[in-house]
Amino acid sequence: MAALGASTTITSRSRGLQEHVVVSGDTIYSGALVGLGVGITPGYLVPWGTGDGTTAEIAFLGLAIITVFDTDSDVLDYAIVGDGTETCPVDTSGMWIKGLTDGTAISIASVGLPVFSPDDNPADITITNTGAVDPVGTLMKLLSDSDDTFDCCLFTPNEAYSMRNRTGL
């Protein structure tokens, strides 16, 4: 093929929003941390923390973004129950989650450390590595060391892949 000599149109999609098929029988709620099954359900979207949560089972993807409005334009609490064909949109852009609270003592020295979550609830994100799950992001801003509150930035799938191949976390 020759190099371009003029503008061209490419069929593409933003890399920040992906859709994946939800594994049959699993429920994914809007706002849930999610990953792709690797060992237990290869290729299917599963809630973060499914199975034993080890790196062999789930690869971190991002945050489920499911928005449904009722007739009054109110956002409804929404979930997708997988049937093996149902898809769920996932924000994989590496978004920030603000105002998290960690039960452990954090300080300015904690900025830049990886953060972990034992389940699909973003409110459970912590700097504590239980050794059972891969990191899901990085602590980016300390809001209050007395209240142990912080903002974090979730990993993109590529960043998560790089982190899961590191040792010593």
Side-chain angles (χ1 to χ4, degrees):
M1 296 192 78
L4 283 179
S7 297
T8 187
T9 302
I10 306 276
T11 303
S12 64
R13 176 173 78 183
S14 168
R15 67 181 187 173
L17 188 63
Q18 300 178 10
E19 286 195 12
H20 295 277
V21 177
V22 179
V23 71
S24 186
D26 276 3
T27 301
I28 295 182
Y29 294 94
S30 186
L33 298 170
V34 293
L36 278 182
V38 176
I40 53 173
T41 54
Y44 285 97
L45 191 67
V46 294
W48 188 248
T50 298
D52 66 10
T54 63
T55 58
E57 295 203 4
I58 304 171
F60 182 71
L61 267 188
L63 200 70
I65 304 294
I66 310 164
T67 306
V68 175
F69 296 92
D70 65 12
T71 55
D72 297 324
S73 296
D74 296 321
V75 176
L76 302 175
D77 183 24
Y78 196 69
I80 292 177
V81 178
D83 64 4
T85 63
E86 192 78 31
T87 62
C88 176
V90 178
D91 186 320
T92 60
S93 67
M95 68 170 48
W96 281 53
I97 299 181
K98 302 180 104 183
L100 295 168
T101 302
D102 194 320
T104 61
I106 60 174
S107 68
I108 193 69
S110 303
V111 173
L113 290 177
V115 295
F116 305 83
S117 184
D119 54 42
D120 63 346
N121 187 349
D124 293 338
I125 290 175
T126 175
I127 62 167
T128 303
N129 180 0
T130 63
V133 295
D134 289 331
V136 297
T138 303
L139 191 148
M140 297 300 285
K141 182 178 181 182
L142 178 67
L143 301 176
S144 167
D145 56 358
S146 61
D147 295 331
D148 297 322
T149 56
F150 63 95
D151 294 344
C152 80
C153 182
L154 295 178
F155 289 142
T156 65
N158 286 341
E159 291 166 335
Y161 178 80
S162 295
M163 289 301 288
R164 74 185 314 220
N165 288 305
R166 291 180 54 186
T167 58
L169 293 178

